[in-house]
Amino acid sequence: MRRRVLIGNWKMHKTAGEASRYIRDFLPLTQNIASIDIILAPPFTALHVVAESIKDTAIGLAGQNMHWNSHGAFTGEVSPAMLCDNGCQSVIIGHSERRQTFHEDDNTINRKVKAAIAHHLTAIMCVGETREERDTGKTSDVLSRQLAAGLAGIGTIDAKQLIIAYEPIWAIGSGTPATPTQASKVHIKLREHLGTLFTTSTAESIQIIYGGSITAENIQSLLAMPHVDGGLVGGACLDPHNFGTIVSSATN
Ligand code: PGA
């Protein structure tokens, strides 16, 4: 049975002080929740303060990105070891904002996934189609390409360090989420494809989560779909009370 996971992606929001106040408000709302995994993905500059504030809890910590090299002359980049050193157990890779705004391609994403696994970080690899790709019937091809290329060279043994996030680009920040049926159809296809890359039982064990305009109102219907194993939440996680409500709705 796959455990469910909710990931709060803060994107480029919150100073260290704001992060610390967030955790102070968020912890009491989630302290009795054990049936779902919660992961927070603050910006790099708030990782340390969040790691300290959640160290006695079950909440996990993720980076939002990283370089694939362990060190070197890469101005502005952060290495996998630096994420581990700051308390991360996982890292978001290939978010569409990285793909689109920072021109990350499938090859870059594959290097990052491999580097994350080599550093014992869970790679939360994002895939997703644009509105135009969906409207022209290309969703399946686009997602298959992103999945196969992003996971090239990853062995079955390492697949336990993967979470796949289906994030349709048209749904991110738009207020228009995929319907549960739309998400479910894609998740089933992704799992079938994972079964060709790994074994069927491995594919069954990989969490496939949905992201894009998740709210406290729609989380339950999305999670009611058997192949939707959780959510990657952006805007709606920025307020600790709101994210707390999403977490408790997800467990009801
Ligand atoms: P959103 O973002 O919840 O604000 O749509 C989701 C994401 O980008 O991960």
PDB file of all heavy atoms in Angstrom, residues 99 104-111 142 145-147 149-151:
ATOM      1  N   ARG A  99      11.919  24.112 -15.859  1.00  0.00           N
ATOM      2  CA  ARG A  99      12.004  23.720 -17.277  1.00  0.00           C
ATOM      3  C   ARG A  99      11.771  24.925 -18.174  1.00  0.00           C
ATOM      4  O   ARG A  99      12.506  25.164 -19.127  1.00  0.00           O
ATOM      5  CB  ARG A  99      10.952  22.646 -17.607  1.00  0.00           C
ATOM      6  CG  ARG A  99      11.199  21.283 -16.967  1.00  0.00           C
ATOM      7  CD  ARG A  99      10.076  20.324 -17.361  1.00  0.00           C
ATOM      8  NE  ARG A  99      10.082  19.062 -16.654  1.00  0.00           N
ATOM      9  CZ  ARG A  99      10.543  17.908 -17.147  1.00  0.00           C
ATOM     10  NH1 ARG A  99      11.062  17.861 -18.340  1.00  0.00           N
ATOM     11  NH2 ARG A  99      10.480  16.794 -16.428  1.00  0.00           N
ATOM     12  N   GLU A 104      15.662  24.136 -18.280  1.00  0.00           N
ATOM     13  CA  GLU A 104      16.169  22.809 -17.944  1.00  0.00           C
ATOM     14  C   GLU A 104      15.552  21.792 -18.901  1.00  0.00           C
ATOM     15  O   GLU A 104      14.339  21.766 -19.100  1.00  0.00           O
ATOM     16  CB  GLU A 104      15.802  22.440 -16.493  1.00  0.00           C
ATOM     17  CG  GLU A 104      16.574  23.258 -15.494  1.00  0.00           C
ATOM     18  CD  GLU A 104      16.475  22.719 -14.065  1.00  0.00           C
ATOM     19  OE1 GLU A 104      16.000  21.584 -13.860  1.00  0.00           O
ATOM     20  OE2 GLU A 104      16.872  23.455 -13.160  1.00  0.00           O
ATOM     21  N   ASP A 105      16.410  20.975 -19.492  1.00  0.00           N
ATOM     22  CA  ASP A 105      15.873  19.962 -20.417  1.00  0.00           C
ATOM     23  C   ASP A 105      15.885  18.580 -19.747  1.00  0.00           C
ATOM     24  O   ASP A 105      16.357  18.419 -18.622  1.00  0.00           O
ATOM     25  CB  ASP A 105      16.638  19.976 -21.747  1.00  0.00           C
ATOM     26  CG  ASP A 105      18.114  19.672 -21.565  1.00  0.00           C
ATOM     27  OD1 ASP A 105      18.504  19.167 -20.480  1.00  0.00           O
ATOM     28  OD2 ASP A 105      18.883  19.937 -22.506  1.00  0.00           O
ATOM     29  N   ASP A 106      15.365  17.607 -20.477  1.00  0.00           N
ATOM     30  CA  ASP A 106      15.249  16.260 -19.908  1.00  0.00           C
ATOM     31  C   ASP A 106      16.605  15.691 -19.502  1.00  0.00           C
ATOM     32  O   ASP A 106      16.717  14.959 -18.521  1.00  0.00           O
ATOM     33  CB  ASP A 106      14.576  15.317 -20.925  1.00  0.00           C
ATOM     34  CG  ASP A 106      13.090  15.642 -21.099  1.00  0.00           C
ATOM     35  OD1 ASP A 106      12.443  16.018 -20.107  1.00  0.00           O
ATOM     36  OD2 ASP A 106      12.589  15.520 -22.220  1.00  0.00           O
ATOM     37  N   ASN A 107      17.640  16.048 -20.270  1.00  0.00           N
ATOM     38  CA  ASN A 107      18.978  15.543 -19.973  1.00  0.00           C
ATOM     39  C   ASN A 107      19.494  16.111 -18.636  1.00  0.00           C
ATOM     40  O   ASN A 107      20.043  15.387 -17.798  1.00  0.00           O
ATOM     41  CB  ASN A 107      19.893  15.937 -21.147  1.00  0.00           C
ATOM     42  CG  ASN A 107      21.296  15.445 -20.942  1.00  0.00           C
ATOM     43  OD1 ASN A 107      21.501  14.337 -20.465  1.00  0.00           O
ATOM     44  ND2 ASN A 107      22.265  16.275 -21.283  1.00  0.00           N
ATOM     45  N   THR A 108      19.268  17.397 -18.439  1.00  0.00           N
ATOM     46  CA  THR A 108      19.656  18.041 -17.173  1.00  0.00           C
ATOM     47  C   THR A 108      18.909  17.399 -16.010  1.00  0.00           C
ATOM     48  O   THR A 108      19.475  17.110 -14.947  1.00  0.00           O
ATOM     49  CB  THR A 108      19.261  19.539 -17.220  1.00  0.00           C
ATOM     50  OG1 THR A 108      19.794  20.098 -18.395  1.00  0.00           O
ATOM     51  CG2 THR A 108      19.732  20.293 -16.009  1.00  0.00           C
ATOM     52  N   ILE A 109      17.640  17.178 -16.254  1.00  0.00           N
ATOM     53  CA  ILE A 109      16.792  16.618 -15.195  1.00  0.00           C
ATOM     54  C   ILE A 109      17.255  15.205 -14.855  1.00  0.00           C
ATOM     55  O   ILE A 109      17.347  14.824 -13.686  1.00  0.00           O
ATOM     56  CB  ILE A 109      15.312  16.706 -15.628  1.00  0.00           C
ATOM     57  CG1 ILE A 109      14.899  18.174 -15.552  1.00  0.00           C
ATOM     58  CG2 ILE A 109      14.404  15.826 -14.763  1.00  0.00           C
ATOM     59  CD1 ILE A 109      13.759  18.563 -16.426  1.00  0.00           C
ATOM     60  N   ASN A 110      17.609  14.438 -15.862  1.00  0.00           N
ATOM     61  CA  ASN A 110      18.114  13.085 -15.644  1.00  0.00           C
ATOM     62  C   ASN A 110      19.408  13.106 -14.806  1.00  0.00           C
ATOM     63  O   ASN A 110      19.569  12.305 -13.877  1.00  0.00           O
ATOM     64  CB  ASN A 110      18.358  12.424 -17.011  1.00  0.00           C
ATOM     65  CG  ASN A 110      18.887  11.007 -16.880  1.00  0.00           C
ATOM     66  OD1 ASN A 110      19.980  10.698 -17.340  1.00  0.00           O
ATOM     67  ND2 ASN A 110      18.126  10.130 -16.248  1.00  0.00           N
ATOM     68  N   ARG A 111      20.289  14.034 -15.107  1.00  0.00           N
ATOM     69  CA  ARG A 111      21.531  14.140 -14.314  1.00  0.00           C
ATOM     70  C   ARG A 111      21.212  14.439 -12.854  1.00  0.00           C
ATOM     71  O   ARG A 111      21.831  13.925 -11.931  1.00  0.00           O
ATOM     72  CB  ARG A 111      22.399  15.275 -14.840  1.00  0.00           C
ATOM     73  CG  ARG A 111      23.063  14.984 -16.140  1.00  0.00           C
ATOM     74  CD  ARG A 111      23.800  16.229 -16.587  1.00  0.00           C
ATOM     75  NE  ARG A 111      24.555  15.972 -17.785  1.00  0.00           N
ATOM     76  CZ  ARG A 111      25.725  16.533 -18.062  1.00  0.00           C
ATOM     77  NH1 ARG A 111      26.259  17.390 -17.230  1.00  0.00           N
ATOM     78  NH2 ARG A 111      26.356  16.254 -19.164  1.00  0.00           N
ATOM     79  N   VAL A 142       4.149  13.599 -24.591  1.00  0.00           N
ATOM     80  CA  VAL A 142       5.026  14.514 -23.841  1.00  0.00           C
ATOM     81  C   VAL A 142       5.418  13.891 -22.504  1.00  0.00           C
ATOM     82  O   VAL A 142       6.594  13.874 -22.119  1.00  0.00           O
ATOM     83  CB  VAL A 142       4.310  15.875 -23.616  1.00  0.00           C
ATOM     84  CG1 VAL A 142       5.061  16.744 -22.621  1.00  0.00           C
ATOM     85  CG2 VAL A 142       4.142  16.604 -24.940  1.00  0.00           C
ATOM     86  N   ARG A 145       7.804  10.974 -22.879  1.00  0.00           N
ATOM     87  CA  ARG A 145       9.175  11.413 -23.158  1.00  0.00           C
ATOM     88  C   ARG A 145       9.847  11.924 -21.886  1.00  0.00           C
ATOM     89  O   ARG A 145      10.962  11.558 -21.551  1.00  0.00           O
ATOM     90  CB  ARG A 145       9.154  12.529 -24.217  1.00  0.00           C
ATOM     91  CG  ARG A 145      10.520  12.885 -24.768  1.00  0.00           C
ATOM     92  CD  ARG A 145      10.605  14.310 -25.277  1.00  0.00           C
ATOM     93  NE  ARG A 145      10.548  15.281 -24.200  1.00  0.00           N
ATOM     94  CZ  ARG A 145       9.773  16.373 -24.202  1.00  0.00           C
ATOM     95  NH1 ARG A 145       8.976  16.623 -25.206  1.00  0.00           N
ATOM     96  NH2 ARG A 145       9.798  17.200 -23.164  1.00  0.00           N
ATOM     97  N   GLN A 146       9.122  12.763 -21.143  1.00  0.00           N
ATOM     98  CA  GLN A 146       9.701  13.334 -19.916  1.00  0.00           C
ATOM     99  C   GLN A 146      10.041  12.233 -18.914  1.00  0.00           C
ATOM    100  O   GLN A 146      11.084  12.276 -18.261  1.00  0.00           O
ATOM    101  CB  GLN A 146       8.724  14.331 -19.281  1.00  0.00           C
ATOM    102  CG  GLN A 146       8.559  15.609 -20.112  1.00  0.00           C
ATOM    103  CD  GLN A 146       7.523  16.550 -19.512  1.00  0.00           C
ATOM    104  OE1 GLN A 146       6.751  16.180 -18.633  1.00  0.00           O
ATOM    105  NE2 GLN A 146       7.499  17.782 -20.003  1.00  0.00           N
ATOM    106  N   LEU A 147       9.158  11.258 -18.805  1.00  0.00           N
ATOM    107  CA  LEU A 147       9.375  10.178 -17.834  1.00  0.00           C
ATOM    108  C   LEU A 147      10.576   9.324 -18.242  1.00  0.00           C
ATOM    109  O   LEU A 147      11.482   9.087 -17.432  1.00  0.00           O
ATOM    110  CB  LEU A 147       8.109   9.318 -17.757  1.00  0.00           C
ATOM    111  CG  LEU A 147       7.937   8.475 -16.508  1.00  0.00           C
ATOM    112  CD1 LEU A 147       7.745   9.356 -15.278  1.00  0.00           C
ATOM    113  CD2 LEU A 147       6.719   7.554 -16.649  1.00  0.00           C
ATOM    114  N   ALA A 149      13.030   9.945 -20.384  1.00  0.00           N
ATOM    115  CA  ALA A 149      14.312  10.647 -20.430  1.00  0.00           C
ATOM    116  C   ALA A 149      14.784  11.018 -19.023  1.00  0.00           C
ATOM    117  O   ALA A 149      15.961  10.879 -18.685  1.00  0.00           O
ATOM    118  CB  ALA A 149      14.187  11.904 -21.292  1.00  0.00           C
ATOM    119  N   GLY A 150      13.870  11.450 -18.193  1.00  0.00           N
ATOM    120  CA  GLY A 150      14.251  11.853 -16.832  1.00  0.00           C
ATOM    121  C   GLY A 150      14.737  10.686 -16.003  1.00  0.00           C
ATOM    122  O   GLY A 150      15.568  10.840 -15.115  1.00  0.00           O
ATOM    123  N   LEU A 151      14.220   9.487 -16.314  1.00  0.00           N
ATOM    124  CA  LEU A 151      14.576   8.313 -15.507  1.00  0.00           C
ATOM    125  C   LEU A 151      15.553   7.379 -16.224  1.00  0.00           C
ATOM    126  O   LEU A 151      15.805   6.269 -15.747  1.00  0.00           O
ATOM    127  CB  LEU A 151      13.303   7.540 -15.128  1.00  0.00           C
ATOM    128  CG  LEU A 151      12.266   8.321 -14.299  1.00  0.00           C
ATOM    129  CD1 LEU A 151      11.064   7.446 -13.988  1.00  0.00           C
ATOM    130  CD2 LEU A 151      12.895   8.849 -13.007  1.00  0.00           C
TER     131      LEU A 151
END
